[in-house]
Amino acid sequence: MTTGTFDVNKVRQDFPLLNQQVNGNPLVYLDNGATSQKPQSVIDAIVSYYTTTNSNVHRGVHTMSQQATDHYEGARTKIRRFINAGEDHEIIFTRNTTEGINLVAHSYARQNVGPGDDIIVSNMEHHSNIVPWQMVCEEKGANLKVVPIDDNGELLMDEYEKLLSPRTKLVSITHVSNALGTILPAAEIVRLAHAQGAPVLLDGAQAVPHMPVDMQALDCDFYAFSGHKLFGPTGIGVLYGKTKYLEAMPPFLGGGEMIKSVTFEKTIYNDLPYKFEGGTPDIAGAIGLGAAVDYVTNLGFDQITAHEEELLRYGTEALNAIDGVQLVGTAPHKAGILSFVMDKAHPHDIGTILDEQGIAIRTGHHCAQPVMQRFQIPATARASLAFYNTKEDIDALVKGIDRVIEVFS
Ligand code: 7TS
């Protein structure tokens, strides 16, 4: 299948893992919301780092250490450009989205939220954008306010506006829902919060693999994402923060790298971004993520988005046409996520029967139990797309679902 000049079969050749059999069938990988596969260029960048450059960063005068530092810092610059942040030092390397959100909870919210204050989240957050705020609220006597959603899985913006007040100390909302696929009106969410003087963290874990994100256009104050969902390695993530907030925030982890000088009387913290990067970082991970960003940039989001939109349309029509299958998450503005339930089969059984046919999806609550409660279901089966998926993958999914119906009839 070719969309414009986008040749998906050629793209697939860059992803060695996709070309294998699982349970005697060609692998159909539809679990990109959980983690994405890696192009050869990312694998090569990591292998090359370990075979030629491996050294610790920011501390050696020797040549290899300087090269490692250049590559690590080069990756930071690539990521800054990728999300159109203003400054390299606004890019903090973390382990993943979860760590980025916890960093903000620890170093921003715990300093700025007091008794009777509010933190606002939505009804469709991943647990990693709920639990850290619950912990802060419990500790500080603050309230966690939840913006409700409608039956399509869209945020109720008028309810959001009603929740905002001078007591709002932080809004932390997902950019794209992992369980439903909804793309939220992030810039508008930020604008309304700022009008009340509240900063906004956007959870970009499910957004960055699918669409261009622009820190200047969004004007959010923090943005967190994971490398592994963006075709990079596990163990590396990014927290973007505006300089004015990061400067004022105390460190998250104390130790090496994050200091300028230490005596037993007084420690002077390092400048940004190192203040937030205590300990030896995931150097290879950052370099791998830099290569992933290069890969995605070379493909281009025009092509990626067009291809994924076409797949989503095709998949939505195909699933809607099957009797006994119901999509959960039907917002008009969606990323490539097809969450569904079936009349007769439990999601876990759906996942198991699909796996027998080499089709990888995720089943369960997707670490978003409150959204399951909102739809009064315990779980869904979720096919989540990436740019390397094809209409044939969707056809295989449909055939797999037909098999589930056969087994349960
Ligand atoms: N936020 C969202 C919106 C997510 O989808 C996820 C992971 C996270 C945060 C946490 O990311 P991590 O890299 O720190 O673990 N979501 C999923 C998923 O949907 N299936 O597996 C992981």
Side-chain angles (χ1 to χ4, degrees):
M1 187 176 71
T2 307
T3 312
T5 54
F6 182 78
D7 182 347
V8 69
N9 291 320
K10 193 154 164 283
V11 166
R12 287 176 71 83
Q13 287 167 15
D14 295 333
F15 291 80
L17 181 142
L18 293 176
N19 185 27
Q20 64 175 301
Q21 304 267 312
V22 170
N23 295 328
N25 292 287
L27 168 67
V28 174
Y29 188 75
L30 293 170
D31 195 17
N32 297 286
T35 199
S36 60
Q37 300 309 335
K38 322 304 171 197
Q40 190 63 49
S41 60
V42 167
I43 299 165
D44 289 347
I46 296 166
V47 171
S48 161
Y49 168 73
Y50 280 124
T51 44
T52 67
T53 321
N54 176 49
S55 296
N56 214 326
V57 289
H58 301 140
R59 52 195 92 190
V61 291
H62 67 80
T63 303
M64 267 190 343
S65 168
Q66 286 172 8
Q67 285 169 345
T69 304
D70 288 349
H71 292 161
Y72 179 71
E73 291 303 326
R76 195 189 307 276
T77 304
K78 287 178 188 182
I79 290 155
R80 193 255 302 153
R81 287 201 198 105
F82 181 66
I83 63 170
N84 196 26
E87 307 279 351
D88 281 8
H89 69 237
E90 294 179 317
I91 305 298
I92 314 288
F93 283 123
T94 61
R95 277 189 305 148
N96 47 37
T97 309
T98 304
E99 188 173 279
I101 295 172
N102 276 273
L103 192 161
V104 177
H106 178 83
S107 297
Y108 181 78
R110 280 197 171 81
Q111 317 300 318
N112 292 284
V113 176
D117 286 339
D118 297 337
I119 296 176
I120 296 182
V121 298
S122 86
N123 199 168
M124 57 183 141
E125 301 307 323
H126 186 278
H127 295 163
S128 69
N129 198 26
I130 299 174
V131 182
W133 311 122
Q134 275 177 330
M135 291 160 76
V136 172
C137 287
E138 199 168 315
E139 201 179 299
K140 299 290 176 183
N143 313 301
L144 189 68
K145 298 267 164 111
V146 181
V147 188
I149 60 177
D150 68 14
D151 290 343
N152 289 324
E154 286 192 283
L155 200 71
L156 293 171
M157 287 299 278
D158 46 346
E159 297 295 326
Y160 169 56
E161 280 195 66
K162 281 188 217 155
L163 288 178
L164 284 166
S165 82
R167 290 197 168 286
T168 309
K169 289 291 152 30
L170 185 74
V171 173
S172 190
I173 282 192
T174 195
H175 195 175
V176 171
S177 155
N178 71 319
L180 307 174
T182 315
I183 301 173
L184 282 81
E188 180 64 1
I189 287 169
V190 172
R191 195 184 65 74
L192 291 166
H194 284 178
Q196 294 286 348
V200 179
L201 184 156
L202 293 174
D203 172 352
Q206 299 289 345
V208 287
H210 303 293
M211 62 183 79
V213 299
D214 181 327
M215 293 306 107
Q216 308 310 313
L218 289 171
D219 197 27
C220 56
D221 304 285
F222 302 101
Y223 196 96
F225 61 94
S226 301
H228 70 94
K229 295 186 203 280
L230 182 60
F231 316 101
T234 50
I236 188 81
V238 171
L239 174 71
Y240 158 83
K242 278 186 184 162
T243 303
K244 66 172 177 178
Y245 287 107
L246 294 178
E247 289 281 12
M249 284 158 53
F252 180 38
L253 299 173
E257 189 84 355
M258 50 72 71
I259 52 88
K260 264 190 182 148
S261 72
V262 177
T263 66
F264 282 116
E265 289 70 43
K266 185 165 176 58
T267 288
I268 300 179
Y269 301 139
N270 209 338
D271 296 328
L272 293 176
Y274 313 113
K275 181 172 82 174
F276 292 109
E277 294 183 0
T280 299
D282 184 352
I283 306 163
I287 292 168
L289 180 55
V293 162
D294 283 344
Y295 184 88
V296 170
T297 307
N298 284 340
L299 268 188
F301 272 113
D302 287 357
Q303 313 241 45
I304 290 173
T305 311
H307 178 71
E308 290 185 11
E309 277 174 0
E310 173 63 10
L311 283 182
L312 179 65
R313 193 195 53 73
Y314 185 78
T316 304
E317 270 177 24
L319 293 197
N320 276 336
I322 308 175
D323 253 4
V325 169
Q326 206 186 343
L327 282 169
V328 182
T330 47
H333 200 203
K334 264 183 74 173
I337 283 175
L338 293 159
S339 243
F340 61 96
V341 289
M342 293 178 70
D343 289 348
K344 293 199 177 130
H346 187 276
H348 190 73
D349 296 322
I350 303 171
T352 307
I353 294 170
L354 292 178
D355 178 55
E356 284 165 8
Q357 298 161 75
I359 305 166
I361 62 159
R362 183 171 171 189
T363 63
H365 53 59
H366 315 294
C367 303
Q369 282 183 318
V371 84
M372 298 295 124
Q373 286 148 16
R374 165 63 182 77
F375 287 94
Q376 296 180 316
I377 47 178
T380 74
R382 181 190 69 178
S384 50
L385 308 171
F387 55 72
Y388 43 63
N389 287 121
T390 61
K391 285 189 175 167
E392 289 73 26
D393 290 341
I394 305 279
D395 294 341
L397 175 69
V398 169
K399 214 170 129 216
I401 294 172
D402 287 343
R403 174 81 192 122
V404 176
I405 292 171
E406 227 173 85
V407 171
F408 282 89
S409 61

